[in-house]
Amino acid sequence: MNINNLRIIAASEGPADSQKPVNVLMPEPGVYNEDMFKGLDYALYQMKKRGMKAVMILNNFWQWSGGFSQYVSWVKNTTIPLPPGYPENDPRAQSSWDELINHSAEFYTCKKCISMWKKHIKTVINRKNVYTGKRYKDDDTIFSWEFANEPRQNSDGSKPMTDEFIEDISGYIRSLDKNHMITLGSEAHPMFGREVFIRENNHKNLDYATTHIWVQNWNEYDPKNATEANLQHAIDYCINHLRETAGWALKINKPIIFEEYGMARDGWDGQDEYDPATPATNRLKYYKAILNEIYKLTDKQIFQGQNFWAYSGEGRPTSGDSRDLYLGDPAHEHPGWYGVYDKDTDMINYLKKMGKKFLKLE
């Protein structure tokens, strides 16, 4: 598909639960699953052979890989407040999203959590790949180090991602590795706005900014609504926010990458939007509109490319409460929600075409 950049989670923590993968990299503080590390090594080895680059994500605001909440849970001996997700009717998932967000945001001021995380950062950056013999910090397959997937303040702003936290972690990563770029990995969520974006990203050791846009998750699109107005609203919303964040990034003279976006399959007329056999006509229209906009912004050297979510290839959702090992959907979300499959021929052909255009801009 002419893709040359992948985001890879280089961190997963804690004991298994219903909203995590079956296997994690660090099941206990400082204790690693070597097979998982070798899997990460192998992914980088294969990417190198294909001329691809990896954004290495060092933590996660959300619970689906352990993340901030797992560190807080370890240090403060608290239970991670799981919100409703997948599987449905999970008796362990009795908390609200705000409760999870507040729990995760405690990480920014938890000194023991940060100290524990720094040990993990050092371990990953200094890791020697068993297939190439290269340490990660010396591997040009790595594009950048990303603090975390979607780090953010809590909803009312009382637990912000502080400047002290950002300076500390970005400076620490830079002290370990001067060869690779560093970024936060934030959504640039419109609910937090321009000033938060500028404050969080305007730090000397951060090399570029990011944005994610999720029209259904943010209640700007309904996959069960077949009207043109529904789709057009989603397109307009996404394009407007892309242009808005482009302006914010220009204000602080930082490049910006569109790291995440996607759309469910057509869920109207009784169709199941999670079923790979369901058409994805709106998704294709959405991708065409969004990629055309991102191409223009990249051509102007405002944006520096994009990563769609997510390619599931030959994988397919399985029934029941089993974890789906080869899909792009995280463990807490319904399998098949945003996956692009190998049989989505029209989408694959379009992505190949646009990928070729983007590569010519390099």
Side-chain angles (χ1 to χ4, degrees), residues 91-125:
R92 292 163 289 189
Q94 299 297 318
S95 300
S96 68
W97 281 100
D98 270 345
E99 286 173 314
L100 174 69
I101 288 168
N102 283 323
H103 190 263
S104 291
E106 291 179 27
F107 182 84
Y108 302 129
T109 54
C110 174
K111 291 183 179 179
K112 288 184 178 179
C113 299
I114 293 168
S115 177
M116 192 182 295
W117 182 36
K118 282 182 174 179
K119 291 176 183 177
H120 172 69
I121 292 172
K122 186 175 183 180
T123 298
V124 173
I125 289 176

PDB file of all heavy atoms in Angstrom, residues 91-125:
ATOM      1  N   PRO A  91     -18.518  -7.836  34.124  1.00  0.00           N
ATOM      2  CA  PRO A  91     -18.787  -7.451  35.516  1.00  0.00           C
ATOM      3  C   PRO A  91     -17.663  -6.642  36.143  1.00  0.00           C
ATOM      4  O   PRO A  91     -17.878  -5.946  37.143  1.00  0.00           O
ATOM      5  CB  PRO A  91     -18.956  -8.804  36.226  1.00  0.00           C
ATOM      6  CG  PRO A  91     -18.240  -9.795  35.362  1.00  0.00           C
ATOM      7  CD  PRO A  91     -18.419  -9.301  33.958  1.00  0.00           C
ATOM      8  N   ARG A  92     -16.447  -6.695  35.559  1.00  0.00           N
ATOM      9  CA  ARG A  92     -15.326  -5.926  36.110  1.00  0.00           C
ATOM     10  C   ARG A  92     -15.334  -4.480  35.639  1.00  0.00           C
ATOM     11  O   ARG A  92     -14.635  -3.640  36.209  1.00  0.00           O
ATOM     12  CB  ARG A  92     -14.009  -6.589  35.710  1.00  0.00           C
ATOM     13  CG  ARG A  92     -13.776  -7.940  36.368  1.00  0.00           C
ATOM     14  CD  ARG A  92     -12.697  -8.748  35.672  1.00  0.00           C
ATOM     15  NE  ARG A  92     -13.159  -9.234  34.378  1.00  0.00           N
ATOM     16  CZ  ARG A  92     -12.485 -10.100  33.630  1.00  0.00           C
ATOM     17  NH1 ARG A  92     -11.332 -10.563  34.048  1.00  0.00           N
ATOM     18  NH2 ARG A  92     -12.961 -10.500  32.461  1.00  0.00           N
ATOM     19  N   ALA A  93     -16.100  -4.192  34.596  1.00  0.00           N
ATOM     20  CA  ALA A  93     -16.103  -2.849  34.008  1.00  0.00           C
ATOM     21  C   ALA A  93     -17.307  -2.063  34.538  1.00  0.00           C
ATOM     22  O   ALA A  93     -18.332  -1.930  33.870  1.00  0.00           O
ATOM     23  CB  ALA A  93     -16.140  -2.944  32.489  1.00  0.00           C
ATOM     24  N   GLN A  94     -17.167  -1.531  35.741  1.00  0.00           N
ATOM     25  CA  GLN A  94     -18.279  -0.857  36.417  1.00  0.00           C
ATOM     26  C   GLN A  94     -18.034   0.629  36.648  1.00  0.00           C
ATOM     27  O   GLN A  94     -18.823   1.294  37.304  1.00  0.00           O
ATOM     28  CB  GLN A  94     -18.545  -1.543  37.772  1.00  0.00           C
ATOM     29  CG  GLN A  94     -18.945  -2.996  37.664  1.00  0.00           C
ATOM     30  CD  GLN A  94     -20.262  -3.187  36.930  1.00  0.00           C
ATOM     31  OE1 GLN A  94     -21.217  -2.429  37.138  1.00  0.00           O
ATOM     32  NE2 GLN A  94     -20.326  -4.183  36.048  1.00  0.00           N
ATOM     33  N   SER A  95     -16.931   1.154  36.108  1.00  0.00           N
ATOM     34  CA  SER A  95     -16.587   2.560  36.343  1.00  0.00           C
ATOM     35  C   SER A  95     -16.932   3.400  35.116  1.00  0.00           C
ATOM     36  O   SER A  95     -17.232   2.882  34.043  1.00  0.00           O
ATOM     37  CB  SER A  95     -15.094   2.687  36.658  1.00  0.00           C
ATOM     38  OG  SER A  95     -14.762   1.942  37.806  1.00  0.00           O
ATOM     39  N   SER A  96     -16.868   4.714  35.289  1.00  0.00           N
ATOM     40  CA  SER A  96     -17.127   5.633  34.176  1.00  0.00           C
ATOM     41  C   SER A  96     -15.815   5.972  33.480  1.00  0.00           C
ATOM     42  O   SER A  96     -14.722   5.762  34.022  1.00  0.00           O
ATOM     43  CB  SER A  96     -17.773   6.914  34.689  1.00  0.00           C
ATOM     44  OG  SER A  96     -16.843   7.658  35.471  1.00  0.00           O
ATOM     45  N   TRP A  97     -15.923   6.529  32.275  1.00  0.00           N
ATOM     46  CA  TRP A  97     -14.722   6.975  31.568  1.00  0.00           C
ATOM     47  C   TRP A  97     -14.020   8.090  32.331  1.00  0.00           C
ATOM     48  O   TRP A  97     -12.789   8.159  32.363  1.00  0.00           O
ATOM     49  CB  TRP A  97     -15.073   7.425  30.156  1.00  0.00           C
ATOM     50  CG  TRP A  97     -15.240   6.259  29.236  1.00  0.00           C
ATOM     51  CD1 TRP A  97     -16.407   5.684  28.816  1.00  0.00           C
ATOM     52  CD2 TRP A  97     -14.194   5.476  28.647  1.00  0.00           C
ATOM     53  NE1 TRP A  97     -16.160   4.609  28.001  1.00  0.00           N
ATOM     54  CE2 TRP A  97     -14.808   4.463  27.869  1.00  0.00           C
ATOM     55  CE3 TRP A  97     -12.805   5.546  28.680  1.00  0.00           C
ATOM     56  CZ2 TRP A  97     -14.070   3.510  27.154  1.00  0.00           C
ATOM     57  CZ3 TRP A  97     -12.067   4.610  27.958  1.00  0.00           C
ATOM     58  CH2 TRP A  97     -12.704   3.607  27.216  1.00  0.00           C
ATOM     59  N   ASP A  98     -14.792   8.984  32.964  1.00  0.00           N
ATOM     60  CA  ASP A  98     -14.167  10.050  33.744  1.00  0.00           C
ATOM     61  C   ASP A  98     -13.362   9.486  34.912  1.00  0.00           C
ATOM     62  O   ASP A  98     -12.298  10.021  35.256  1.00  0.00           O
ATOM     63  CB  ASP A  98     -15.226  11.031  34.263  1.00  0.00           C
ATOM     64  CG  ASP A  98     -15.479  12.169  33.289  1.00  0.00           C
ATOM     65  OD1 ASP A  98     -14.668  12.364  32.367  1.00  0.00           O
ATOM     66  OD2 ASP A  98     -16.501  12.872  33.446  1.00  0.00           O
ATOM     67  N   GLU A  99     -13.857   8.425  35.517  1.00  0.00           N
ATOM     68  CA  GLU A  99     -13.108   7.809  36.617  1.00  0.00           C
ATOM     69  C   GLU A  99     -11.780   7.234  36.121  1.00  0.00           C
ATOM     70  O   GLU A  99     -10.744   7.383  36.785  1.00  0.00           O
ATOM     71  CB  GLU A  99     -13.959   6.722  37.282  1.00  0.00           C
ATOM     72  CG  GLU A  99     -15.084   7.280  38.146  1.00  0.00           C
ATOM     73  CD  GLU A  99     -16.031   6.204  38.662  1.00  0.00           C
ATOM     74  OE1 GLU A  99     -16.448   5.336  37.859  1.00  0.00           O
ATOM     75  OE2 GLU A  99     -16.349   6.237  39.870  1.00  0.00           O
ATOM     76  N   LEU A 100     -11.793   6.587  34.961  1.00  0.00           N
ATOM     77  CA  LEU A 100     -10.543   6.080  34.398  1.00  0.00           C
ATOM     78  C   LEU A 100      -9.600   7.224  34.051  1.00  0.00           C
ATOM     79  O   LEU A 100      -8.397   7.178  34.357  1.00  0.00           O
ATOM     80  CB  LEU A 100     -10.812   5.252  33.145  1.00  0.00           C
ATOM     81  CG  LEU A 100      -9.534   4.811  32.400  1.00  0.00           C
ATOM     82  CD1 LEU A 100      -8.751   3.791  33.210  1.00  0.00           C
ATOM     83  CD2 LEU A 100      -9.863   4.292  31.008  1.00  0.00           C
ATOM     84  N   ILE A 101     -10.130   8.270  33.412  1.00  0.00           N
ATOM     85  CA  ILE A 101      -9.305   9.411  33.011  1.00  0.00           C
ATOM     86  C   ILE A 101      -8.657  10.061  34.232  1.00  0.00           C
ATOM     87  O   ILE A 101      -7.460  10.381  34.219  1.00  0.00           O
ATOM     88  CB  ILE A 101     -10.161  10.420  32.213  1.00  0.00           C
ATOM     89  CG1 ILE A 101     -10.479   9.843  30.820  1.00  0.00           C
ATOM     90  CG2 ILE A 101      -9.467  11.774  32.103  1.00  0.00           C
ATOM     91  CD1 ILE A 101     -11.547  10.603  30.061  1.00  0.00           C
ATOM     92  N   ASN A 102      -9.421  10.266  35.293  1.00  0.00           N
ATOM     93  CA  ASN A 102      -8.864  10.866  36.509  1.00  0.00           C
ATOM     94  C   ASN A 102      -7.785   9.972  37.121  1.00  0.00           C
ATOM     95  O   ASN A 102      -6.758  10.466  37.615  1.00  0.00           O
ATOM     96  CB  ASN A 102      -9.974  11.120  37.532  1.00  0.00           C
ATOM     97  CG  ASN A 102     -10.805  12.336  37.197  1.00  0.00           C
ATOM     98  OD1 ASN A 102     -10.282  13.341  36.700  1.00  0.00           O
ATOM     99  ND2 ASN A 102     -12.103  12.279  37.431  1.00  0.00           N
ATOM    100  N   HIS A 103      -8.010   8.666  37.072  1.00  0.00           N
ATOM    101  CA  HIS A 103      -7.026   7.720  37.607  1.00  0.00           C
ATOM    102  C   HIS A 103      -5.735   7.782  36.789  1.00  0.00           C
ATOM    103  O   HIS A 103      -4.631   7.870  37.353  1.00  0.00           O
ATOM    104  CB  HIS A 103      -7.622   6.314  37.584  1.00  0.00           C
ATOM    105  CG  HIS A 103      -6.811   5.295  38.320  1.00  0.00           C
ATOM    106  ND1 HIS A 103      -5.915   4.449  37.692  1.00  0.00           N
ATOM    107  CD2 HIS A 103      -6.759   4.967  39.635  1.00  0.00           C
ATOM    108  CE1 HIS A 103      -5.352   3.651  38.589  1.00  0.00           C
ATOM    109  NE2 HIS A 103      -5.857   3.930  39.778  1.00  0.00           N
ATOM    110  N   SER A 104      -5.847   7.767  35.476  1.00  0.00           N
ATOM    111  CA  SER A 104      -4.663   7.830  34.613  1.00  0.00           C
ATOM    112  C   SER A 104      -3.903   9.137  34.794  1.00  0.00           C
ATOM    113  O   SER A 104      -2.667   9.152  34.775  1.00  0.00           O
ATOM    114  CB  SER A 104      -5.069   7.657  33.139  1.00  0.00           C
ATOM    115  OG  SER A 104      -5.511   6.351  32.883  1.00  0.00           O
ATOM    116  N   ALA A 105      -4.634  10.238  34.934  1.00  0.00           N
ATOM    117  CA  ALA A 105      -3.999  11.556  35.029  1.00  0.00           C
ATOM    118  C   ALA A 105      -3.244  11.750  36.343  1.00  0.00           C
ATOM    119  O   ALA A 105      -2.443  12.686  36.461  1.00  0.00           O
ATOM    120  CB  ALA A 105      -5.043  12.659  34.847  1.00  0.00           C
ATOM    121  N   GLU A 106      -3.462  10.886  37.325  1.00  0.00           N
ATOM    122  CA  GLU A 106      -2.651  10.933  38.554  1.00  0.00           C
ATOM    123  C   GLU A 106      -1.183  10.641  38.252  1.00  0.00           C
ATOM    124  O   GLU A 106      -0.296  11.000  39.032  1.00  0.00           O
ATOM    125  CB  GLU A 106      -3.184   9.911  39.565  1.00  0.00           C
ATOM    126  CG  GLU A 106      -4.539  10.250  40.156  1.00  0.00           C
ATOM    127  CD  GLU A 106      -5.028   9.186  41.141  1.00  0.00           C
ATOM    128  OE1 GLU A 106      -4.163   8.498  41.740  1.00  0.00           O
ATOM    129  OE2 GLU A 106      -6.240   9.037  41.301  1.00  0.00           O
ATOM    130  N   PHE A 107      -0.932  10.002  37.129  1.00  0.00           N
ATOM    131  CA  PHE A 107       0.425   9.607  36.740  1.00  0.00           C
ATOM    132  C   PHE A 107       1.370  10.803  36.662  1.00  0.00           C
ATOM    133  O   PHE A 107       2.548  10.693  37.024  1.00  0.00           O
ATOM    134  CB  PHE A 107       0.348   8.903  35.382  1.00  0.00           C
ATOM    135  CG  PHE A 107       1.654   8.383  34.864  1.00  0.00           C
ATOM    136  CD1 PHE A 107       2.147   7.147  35.266  1.00  0.00           C
ATOM    137  CD2 PHE A 107       2.395   9.115  33.946  1.00  0.00           C
ATOM    138  CE1 PHE A 107       3.354   6.653  34.777  1.00  0.00           C
ATOM    139  CE2 PHE A 107       3.601   8.632  33.447  1.00  0.00           C
ATOM    140  CZ  PHE A 107       4.081   7.398  33.872  1.00  0.00           C
ATOM    141  N   TYR A 108       0.869  11.954  36.194  1.00  0.00           N
ATOM    142  CA  TYR A 108       1.735  13.108  35.927  1.00  0.00           C
ATOM    143  C   TYR A 108       2.428  13.647  37.176  1.00  0.00           C
ATOM    144  O   TYR A 108       3.491  14.274  37.073  1.00  0.00           O
ATOM    145  CB  TYR A 108       0.928  14.237  35.269  1.00  0.00           C
ATOM    146  CG  TYR A 108       0.264  13.832  33.978  1.00  0.00           C
ATOM    147  CD1 TYR A 108      -1.101  14.063  33.775  1.00  0.00           C
ATOM    148  CD2 TYR A 108       0.974  13.216  32.951  1.00  0.00           C
ATOM    149  CE1 TYR A 108      -1.733  13.700  32.593  1.00  0.00           C
ATOM    150  CE2 TYR A 108       0.358  12.842  31.777  1.00  0.00           C
ATOM    151  CZ  TYR A 108      -0.994  13.081  31.602  1.00  0.00           C
ATOM    152  OH  TYR A 108      -1.616  12.709  30.433  1.00  0.00           O
ATOM    153  N   THR A 109       1.836  13.420  38.331  1.00  0.00           N
ATOM    154  CA  THR A 109       2.419  13.929  39.579  1.00  0.00           C
ATOM    155  C   THR A 109       2.820  12.799  40.518  1.00  0.00           C
ATOM    156  O   THR A 109       3.114  13.056  41.688  1.00  0.00           O
ATOM    157  CB  THR A 109       1.439  14.881  40.287  1.00  0.00           C
ATOM    158  OG1 THR A 109       0.173  14.222  40.463  1.00  0.00           O
ATOM    159  CG2 THR A 109       1.236  16.157  39.478  1.00  0.00           C
ATOM    160  N   CYS A 110       2.841  11.577  40.026  1.00  0.00           N
ATOM    161  CA  CYS A 110       3.221  10.410  40.833  1.00  0.00           C
ATOM    162  C   CYS A 110       4.712  10.145  40.618  1.00  0.00           C
ATOM    163  O   CYS A 110       5.111   9.536  39.621  1.00  0.00           O
ATOM    164  CB  CYS A 110       2.368   9.198  40.441  1.00  0.00           C
ATOM    165  SG  CYS A 110       2.860   7.658  41.245  1.00  0.00           S
ATOM    166  N   LYS A 111       5.548  10.600  41.532  1.00  0.00           N
ATOM    167  CA  LYS A 111       7.000  10.515  41.345  1.00  0.00           C
ATOM    168  C   LYS A 111       7.483   9.074  41.244  1.00  0.00           C
ATOM    169  O   LYS A 111       8.375   8.763  40.449  1.00  0.00           O
ATOM    170  CB  LYS A 111       7.712  11.241  42.490  1.00  0.00           C
ATOM    171  CG  LYS A 111       7.514  12.753  42.447  1.00  0.00           C
ATOM    172  CD  LYS A 111       8.292  13.446  43.549  1.00  0.00           C
ATOM    173  CE  LYS A 111       8.095  14.964  43.472  1.00  0.00           C
ATOM    174  NZ  LYS A 111       8.844  15.650  44.561  1.00  0.00           N
ATOM    175  N   LYS A 112       6.904   8.183  42.026  1.00  0.00           N
ATOM    176  CA  LYS A 112       7.315   6.779  41.966  1.00  0.00           C
ATOM    177  C   LYS A 112       6.907   6.153  40.629  1.00  0.00           C
ATOM    178  O   LYS A 112       7.644   5.330  40.074  1.00  0.00           O
ATOM    179  CB  LYS A 112       6.713   6.003  43.128  1.00  0.00           C
ATOM    180  CG  LYS A 112       7.335   6.327  44.483  1.00  0.00           C
ATOM    181  CD  LYS A 112       6.769   5.453  45.585  1.00  0.00           C
ATOM    182  CE  LYS A 112       7.423   5.758  46.922  1.00  0.00           C
ATOM    183  NZ  LYS A 112       6.850   4.901  48.016  1.00  0.00           N
ATOM    184  N   CYS A 113       5.731   6.551  40.121  1.00  0.00           N
ATOM    185  CA  CYS A 113       5.297   6.060  38.803  1.00  0.00           C
ATOM    186  C   CYS A 113       6.274   6.489  37.725  1.00  0.00           C
ATOM    187  O   CYS A 113       6.672   5.690  36.864  1.00  0.00           O
ATOM    188  CB  CYS A 113       3.909   6.600  38.463  1.00  0.00           C
ATOM    189  SG  CYS A 113       2.588   6.131  39.598  1.00  0.00           S
ATOM    190  N   ILE A 114       6.655   7.759  37.770  1.00  0.00           N
ATOM    191  CA  ILE A 114       7.549   8.311  36.747  1.00  0.00           C
ATOM    192  C   ILE A 114       8.924   7.664  36.833  1.00  0.00           C
ATOM    193  O   ILE A 114       9.542   7.343  35.813  1.00  0.00           O
ATOM    194  CB  ILE A 114       7.619   9.840  36.879  1.00  0.00           C
ATOM    195  CG1 ILE A 114       6.247  10.455  36.519  1.00  0.00           C
ATOM    196  CG2 ILE A 114       8.719  10.421  35.998  1.00  0.00           C
ATOM    197  CD1 ILE A 114       6.108  11.919  36.875  1.00  0.00           C
ATOM    198  N   SER A 115       9.412   7.448  38.043  1.00  0.00           N
ATOM    199  CA  SER A 115      10.699   6.785  38.231  1.00  0.00           C
ATOM    200  C   SER A 115      10.671   5.368  37.662  1.00  0.00           C
ATOM    201  O   SER A 115      11.620   4.929  36.981  1.00  0.00           O
ATOM    202  CB  SER A 115      11.057   6.747  39.719  1.00  0.00           C
ATOM    203  OG  SER A 115      12.258   6.043  39.932  1.00  0.00           O
ATOM    204  N   MET A 116       9.577   4.665  37.902  1.00  0.00           N
ATOM    205  CA  MET A 116       9.408   3.306  37.380  1.00  0.00           C
ATOM    206  C   MET A 116       9.365   3.323  35.858  1.00  0.00           C
ATOM    207  O   MET A 116       9.963   2.470  35.185  1.00  0.00           O
ATOM    208  CB  MET A 116       8.107   2.726  37.947  1.00  0.00           C
ATOM    209  CG  MET A 116       7.914   1.246  37.755  1.00  0.00           C
ATOM    210  SD  MET A 116       6.299   0.716  38.431  1.00  0.00           S
ATOM    211  CE  MET A 116       6.547   1.037  40.180  1.00  0.00           C
ATOM    212  N   TRP A 117       8.659   4.311  35.292  1.00  0.00           N
ATOM    213  CA  TRP A 117       8.538   4.427  33.836  1.00  0.00           C
ATOM    214  C   TRP A 117       9.880   4.752  33.194  1.00  0.00           C
ATOM    215  O   TRP A 117      10.236   4.221  32.143  1.00  0.00           O
ATOM    216  CB  TRP A 117       7.496   5.487  33.480  1.00  0.00           C
ATOM    217  CG  TRP A 117       7.251   5.666  32.019  1.00  0.00           C
ATOM    218  CD1 TRP A 117       7.249   4.688  31.063  1.00  0.00           C
ATOM    219  CD2 TRP A 117       6.983   6.885  31.332  1.00  0.00           C
ATOM    220  NE1 TRP A 117       6.969   5.232  29.824  1.00  0.00           N
ATOM    221  CE2 TRP A 117       6.802   6.582  29.970  1.00  0.00           C
ATOM    222  CE3 TRP A 117       6.847   8.203  31.749  1.00  0.00           C
ATOM    223  CZ2 TRP A 117       6.515   7.556  29.016  1.00  0.00           C
ATOM    224  CZ3 TRP A 117       6.553   9.180  30.812  1.00  0.00           C
ATOM    225  CH2 TRP A 117       6.390   8.856  29.454  1.00  0.00           C
ATOM    226  N   LYS A 118      10.665   5.616  33.850  1.00  0.00           N
ATOM    227  CA  LYS A 118      11.978   5.960  33.303  1.00  0.00           C
ATOM    228  C   LYS A 118      12.858   4.721  33.161  1.00  0.00           C
ATOM    229  O   LYS A 118      13.633   4.602  32.207  1.00  0.00           O
ATOM    230  CB  LYS A 118      12.666   6.999  34.193  1.00  0.00           C
ATOM    231  CG  LYS A 118      12.155   8.419  34.001  1.00  0.00           C
ATOM    232  CD  LYS A 118      12.934   9.374  34.887  1.00  0.00           C
ATOM    233  CE  LYS A 118      12.559  10.816  34.618  1.00  0.00           C
ATOM    234  NZ  LYS A 118      13.314  11.742  35.501  1.00  0.00           N
ATOM    235  N   LYS A 119      12.733   3.801  34.093  1.00  0.00           N
ATOM    236  CA  LYS A 119      13.507   2.554  33.988  1.00  0.00           C
ATOM    237  C   LYS A 119      13.084   1.777  32.742  1.00  0.00           C
ATOM    238  O   LYS A 119      13.926   1.178  32.058  1.00  0.00           O
ATOM    239  CB  LYS A 119      13.314   1.723  35.246  1.00  0.00           C
ATOM    240  CG  LYS A 119      13.961   2.325  36.491  1.00  0.00           C
ATOM    241  CD  LYS A 119      13.669   1.507  37.741  1.00  0.00           C
ATOM    242  CE  LYS A 119      14.275   2.170  38.974  1.00  0.00           C
ATOM    243  NZ  LYS A 119      13.939   1.423  40.215  1.00  0.00           N
ATOM    244  N   HIS A 120      11.772   1.799  32.462  1.00  0.00           N
ATOM    245  CA  HIS A 120      11.303   1.120  31.255  1.00  0.00           C
ATOM    246  C   HIS A 120      11.813   1.841  30.001  1.00  0.00           C
ATOM    247  O   HIS A 120      12.264   1.191  29.051  1.00  0.00           O
ATOM    248  CB  HIS A 120       9.777   1.062  31.225  1.00  0.00           C
ATOM    249  CG  HIS A 120       9.240   0.549  29.922  1.00  0.00           C
ATOM    250  ND1 HIS A 120       9.386  -0.760  29.522  1.00  0.00           N
ATOM    251  CD2 HIS A 120       8.596   1.188  28.899  1.00  0.00           C
ATOM    252  CE1 HIS A 120       8.847  -0.924  28.326  1.00  0.00           C
ATOM    253  NE2 HIS A 120       8.361   0.241  27.926  1.00  0.00           N
ATOM    254  N   ILE A 121      11.742   3.156  29.992  1.00  0.00           N
ATOM    255  CA  ILE A 121      12.228   3.924  28.846  1.00  0.00           C
ATOM    256  C   ILE A 121      13.690   3.588  28.573  1.00  0.00           C
ATOM    257  O   ILE A 121      14.090   3.337  27.426  1.00  0.00           O
ATOM    258  CB  ILE A 121      12.051   5.439  29.097  1.00  0.00           C
ATOM    259  CG1 ILE A 121      10.567   5.809  29.123  1.00  0.00           C
ATOM    260  CG2 ILE A 121      12.798   6.252  28.034  1.00  0.00           C
ATOM    261  CD1 ILE A 121      10.300   7.243  29.563  1.00  0.00           C
ATOM    262  N   LYS A 122      14.494   3.569  29.623  1.00  0.00           N
ATOM    263  CA  LYS A 122      15.915   3.257  29.470  1.00  0.00           C
ATOM    264  C   LYS A 122      16.112   1.845  28.932  1.00  0.00           C
ATOM    265  O   LYS A 122      16.963   1.606  28.060  1.00  0.00           O
ATOM    266  CB  LYS A 122      16.626   3.425  30.809  1.00  0.00           C
ATOM    267  CG  LYS A 122      18.135   3.262  30.727  1.00  0.00           C
ATOM    268  CD  LYS A 122      18.794   3.564  32.074  1.00  0.00           C
ATOM    269  CE  LYS A 122      20.310   3.469  31.981  1.00  0.00           C
ATOM    270  NZ  LYS A 122      20.946   3.776  33.300  1.00  0.00           N
ATOM    271  N   THR A 123      15.323   0.899  29.436  1.00  0.00           N
ATOM    272  CA  THR A 123      15.427  -0.489  28.981  1.00  0.00           C
ATOM    273  C   THR A 123      15.130  -0.601  27.492  1.00  0.00           C
ATOM    274  O   THR A 123      15.844  -1.281  26.741  1.00  0.00           O
ATOM    275  CB  THR A 123      14.466  -1.388  29.782  1.00  0.00           C
ATOM    276  OG1 THR A 123      14.839  -1.366  31.168  1.00  0.00           O
ATOM    277  CG2 THR A 123      14.492  -2.824  29.278  1.00  0.00           C
ATOM    278  N   VAL A 124      14.074   0.083  27.045  1.00  0.00           N
ATOM    279  CA  VAL A 124      13.692   0.001  25.632  1.00  0.00           C
ATOM    280  C   VAL A 124      14.725   0.691  24.747  1.00  0.00           C
ATOM    281  O   VAL A 124      15.174   0.128  23.732  1.00  0.00           O
ATOM    282  CB  VAL A 124      12.285   0.606  25.411  1.00  0.00           C
ATOM    283  CG1 VAL A 124      11.960   0.679  23.926  1.00  0.00           C
ATOM    284  CG2 VAL A 124      11.226  -0.226  26.130  1.00  0.00           C
ATOM    285  N   ILE A 125      15.110   1.883  25.091  1.00  0.00           N
ATOM    286  CA  ILE A 125      16.047   2.633  24.253  1.00  0.00           C
ATOM    287  C   ILE A 125      17.392   1.917  24.123  1.00  0.00           C
ATOM    288  O   ILE A 125      18.026   1.936  23.062  1.00  0.00           O
ATOM    289  CB  ILE A 125      16.214   4.066  24.795  1.00  0.00           C
ATOM    290  CG1 ILE A 125      14.930   4.874  24.531  1.00  0.00           C
ATOM    291  CG2 ILE A 125      17.418   4.771  24.172  1.00  0.00           C
ATOM    292  CD1 ILE A 125      14.936   6.277  25.093  1.00  0.00           C
TER     293      ILE A 125
END
